[in-house]
Amino acid sequence: MTSDSEDSIHFTIISTAIFATAFFGLIGNIHVIWAVKRFPELRTKNGMLLCFLASHHCICLVFETLSGIRMRLGPSMSRTQCYSSIFIYLYCINH
């Protein structure tokens, strides 16, 4: 069995990885959205689909960041509260 201190270290490592990945992912997605908006030659079908995908991925990364915050702070919630807090994330990740 693992001790509580080992679990805490694991949660710290995982949440830090989530924050770093989300930070760099958001920067890249925002650049894609900005490029499609800024340059008219990128506003093709493929460019708009890529922009749409990047915007949905931004929403997913924000929810992953919130998940990392919950891992750090440790509040538990019921199943109903959990679903109501992530249903937009579930829609975006499946869309």
Side-chain angles (χ1 to χ4, degrees), residues 12-71:
T12 301
I13 292 170
I14 291 170
S15 63
T16 304
I18 288 172
F19 294 142
T21 305
F23 176 74
F24 290 115
L26 282 171
I27 288 174
N29 287 332
I30 290 170
H31 277 97
V32 168
I33 294 168
W34 174 80
V36 171
K37 182 178 179 188
R38 172 75 172 88
F39 300 107
E41 60 270 12
L42 294 177
R43 292 187 204 142
T44 61
K45 279 189 232 178
N46 292 333
M48 294 306 289
L49 285 172
L50 185 63
C51 183
F52 184 68
L53 178 65
S55 63
H56 272 78
H57 194 244
C58 282
I59 293 170
C60 291
L61 287 173
V62 168
F63 275 95
E64 287 295 333
T65 304
L66 293 174
S67 175
I69 291 170
R70 269 195 302 269
M71 283 175 71

Side-chain angles (χ1 to χ4, degrees), residues 67-80:
S67 175
I69 291 170
R70 269 195 302 269
M71 283 175 71
R72 268 292 173 86
L73 298 177
S76 63
M77 57 176 92
S78 69
R79 218 175 253 228
T80 305

Side-chain angles (χ1 to χ4, degrees), residues 2 9 11 14-15 30-31 41 69 74 85 87 90 92:
T2 60
I9 291 170
F11 281 140
I14 291 170
S15 63
I30 290 170
H31 277 97
E41 60 270 12
I69 291 170
S85 69
F87 75 93
L90 293 174
C92 286

